[in-house]
Amino acid sequence: AELPLPPPVVTLMGHVDHGKTSLLDALRGSSIAAGEAGGITQAISAFSVGASGGRELGATFIDTPGHELFAAMRERGAHATDLIVLVVALDAGVQDTTREAIRYAKEVQCPLVVAANKVDRPGGPEAVAKLSQQLLDEQVVLEAYGGEVPLVPVSATKRVGLEELLDSIALQAEMLELRAAPDGPAEGTVLESVMGKGLGILSTVPPAAARLSPLPRSTSGWHL
């Protein structure tokens, strides 16, 4: 029998203050961005959303810091994902960290979905055409130009375009034909570890294969 399709692991990447965490807040109905130091993400986080809107699969989302100091965290996120959502603010366009995310996606041959954020602001629709050209200059060819990369205009604060973004992610995941055994040993990538008081080492590990169930122990180590 054919193995089932698991929910894809989706990493949000992009320049600092372009709205990655706000977009995730909108998708899950939380307000994490408001509580972050300086409004800037400083750690990797992950969460899952269930299937909705007629979509058969949910997704596991990974949020990565956009500040230049956290390049290593972003690179880990790129290597642990099935799909990258490149968040670009329309009022700022392509920036250095945007280019870095594009480079990571090409290095690991990971499909891209572009979320053009802040479309609700004045001049937003016109800025989409400008952003499309900027992405073309970076060898990112959008579907509108005959390429394979979808661009979805969104507004995290106004909750505009979220369903269209989730539809695009679901379509890309189906095209990838990801398959995993739900009852075999689970595998995943450690994104981040911290020492919890009274708890020991706590790790963020999105499963890449199989279903992870509570166990008395697990193993981790370098895979070279």
Side-chain angles (χ1 to χ4, degrees), residues 41-171:
T41 301
Q42 301 186 36
I44 285 181
S45 62
F47 76 98
S48 295
V49 295
S52 63
R55 290 175 290 271
E56 295 184 3
L57 294 175
T60 296
F61 288 94
I62 299 173
D63 187 15
T64 60
H67 195 280
E68 61 183 0
L69 295 177
F70 301 102
M73 286 187 186
R74 290 191 295 274
E75 187 171 11
R76 287 204 303 275
H79 281 80
T81 193
D82 300 316
L83 182 70
I84 291 175
V85 172
L86 182 63
V87 181
V88 187
L90 285 169
D91 58 355
V94 171
Q95 301 292 320
D96 289 343
T97 313
T98 316
R99 297 184 182 94
E100 176 194 77
I102 293 170
R103 187 177 74 251
Y104 287 155
K106 291 178 178 179
E107 286 177 357
V108 299
Q109 298 182 328
C110 184
L112 278 174
V113 172
V114 178
N117 195 25
K118 306 182 182 180
V119 71
D120 59 301
R121 297 190 177 183
E126 294 79 8
V128 171
K130 181 180 179 181
L131 173 60
S132 299
Q133 182 58 53
Q134 290 178 333
L135 291 169
L136 190 60
D137 292 342
E138 302 298 328
Q139 287 76 54
V140 176
V141 185
L142 302 174
E143 289 178 340
Y145 290 83
E148 299 180 350
V149 179
L151 182 148
V152 183
V154 299
S155 170
T157 55
K158 301 296 184 182
R159 302 183 63 84
V160 172
L162 301 186
E163 289 301 314
E164 290 81 359
L165 178 60
L166 290 172
D167 285 342
S168 184
I169 290 171
L171 179 59

Side-chain angles (χ1 to χ4, degrees), residues 20-40:
K20 297 183 302 299
T21 304
S22 295
L23 184 56
L24 286 179
D25 282 343
L27 291 172
R28 63 182 168 183
S30 60
S31 55
I32 290 177
E36 291 179 330
I40 297 174

Side-chain angles (χ1 to χ4, degrees), residues 211-217:
R211 181 181 294 114
L212 186 63
S213 300
L215 294 171
R217 65 182 182 276

